[in-house]
Amino acid sequence: MLTMKDIVREGHPVLREKAAEVALPASKEDQRTLESLMEYVKNSQNPETASKYGLRPGVGLAAPQIGVSKRMIAVQVYDHNHSLLSYALFNPKIVSHSVEKAYLSSGEGCLSVDRAVPGYVHRYARITVKGTTLEGEAVKLRLKGLPAIVFQHEIDHLNGIMFFDHINPKDPFHIAEDSFPIER
């Protein structure tokens, strides 16, 4: 079981690398890695388990965050209809996106960043993601709102991008044109 000690922190070089594609069908080792990412996310959202093992709650985790430079992410988050979206994906890729942008009004955080970074992170309001599930099934997800933001955050990790790279250093709370806030 992954715990906070397994999560690499800001400054570790793996967080700035472009992760490698996962050869499909996935090896047993890659499947175990992806399963462990999803297990962490689920455990971190369970108050009892999180408290017992000292897990910081998270809605997503990418393989580079545990020192594995491969294109794998796990996301578990509720959408605007209060439906649970739970996906563990190999080689996720954004294939289309809106012009309109959105940002979390409370800002973003990251399990690999042990400090608060104030500012708005502008991301696409709507995206379409393609990827492959643990079972080897190709999926195409149309996402908006919070799930779209979470998927972009995790896919950024696969490209060596941290959330704070998107914050305007001169004006962290600048609101971009054609963008709207999302409450969390």
Side-chain angles (χ1 to χ4, degrees), residues 53-88:
Y53 295 103
L55 308 179
R56 271 179 48 203
V59 290
L61 191 61
Q65 291 180 272
I66 60 165
V68 178
S69 191
K70 290 189 174 183
R71 301 184 82 75
M72 298 182 234
I73 65 169
V75 171
Q76 182 165 283
V77 63
Y78 286 92
D79 68 10
H80 63 288
N81 292 322
H82 308 289
S83 297
L84 185 64
L85 299 179
S86 191
Y87 287 97

Side-chain angles (χ1 to χ4, degrees), residues 142-174:
R142 287 185 176 82
L143 305 161
K144 66 180 182 181
L146 181 58
I149 285 175
V150 173
F151 271 83
Q152 288 171 85
H153 178 114
E154 299 311 328
I155 290 170
D156 269 359
H157 276 303
L158 306 181
N159 296 314
I161 299 167
M162 300 293 285
F163 76 93
F164 49 76
D165 296 342
H166 295 285
I167 297 173
N168 181 332
K170 290 186 176 68
D171 184 3
F173 293 98
H174 169 77

Side-chain angles (χ1 to χ4, degrees), residues 7-174:
I7 295 176
V8 299
R9 301 308 205 281
E10 177 181 9
H12 192 291
V14 73
L15 293 173
R16 291 300 189 174
E17 291 175 12
K18 186 168 171 57
E21 289 277 318
V22 176
L24 298 175
S27 68
K28 290 283 183 230
E29 182 184 356
D30 287 340
Q31 287 178 338
R32 278 193 299 274
T33 298
L34 186 51
E35 286 167 355
S36 69
L37 294 174
M38 181 52 88
E39 181 187 43
Y40 178 92
V41 173
K42 288 179 176 179
N43 286 340
S44 81
Q45 292 178 18
N46 176 318
E48 219 171 88
T49 309
S51 174
K52 181 177 178 181
Y53 295 103
L55 308 179
R56 271 179 48 203
V59 290
L61 191 61
Q65 291 180 272
I66 60 165
V68 178
S69 191
K70 290 189 174 183
R71 301 184 82 75
M72 298 182 234
I73 65 169
V75 171
Q76 182 165 283
V77 63
Y78 286 92
D79 68 10
H80 63 288
N81 292 322
H82 308 289
S83 297
L84 185 64
L85 299 179
S86 191
Y87 287 97
L89 296 176
F90 295 111
N91 303 324
K93 184 177 185 177
I94 297 170
V95 294
S96 67
H97 60 79
S98 62
V99 172
E100 190 176 36
K101 300 277 185 111
Y103 59 93
L104 291 180
S105 58
S106 59
E108 289 187 24
C110 180
L111 294 169
S112 292
V113 179
D114 292 331
R115 62 189 173 101
V117 183
Y120 295 142
V121 179
H122 293 88
R123 299 189 181 276
Y124 300 115
R126 292 176 306 285
I127 60 172
T128 301
V129 173
K130 284 185 176 179
T132 304
T133 66
L134 269 165
E135 297 73 35
E137 177 190 351
V139 292
K140 183 177 180 179
L141 309 171
R142 287 185 176 82
L143 305 161
K144 66 180 182 181
L146 181 58
I149 285 175
V150 173
F151 271 83
Q152 288 171 85
H153 178 114
E154 299 311 328
I155 290 170
D156 269 359
H157 276 303
L158 306 181
N159 296 314
I161 299 167
M162 300 293 285
F163 76 93
F164 49 76
D165 296 342
H166 295 285
I167 297 173
N168 181 332
K170 290 186 176 68
D171 184 3
F173 293 98
H174 169 77

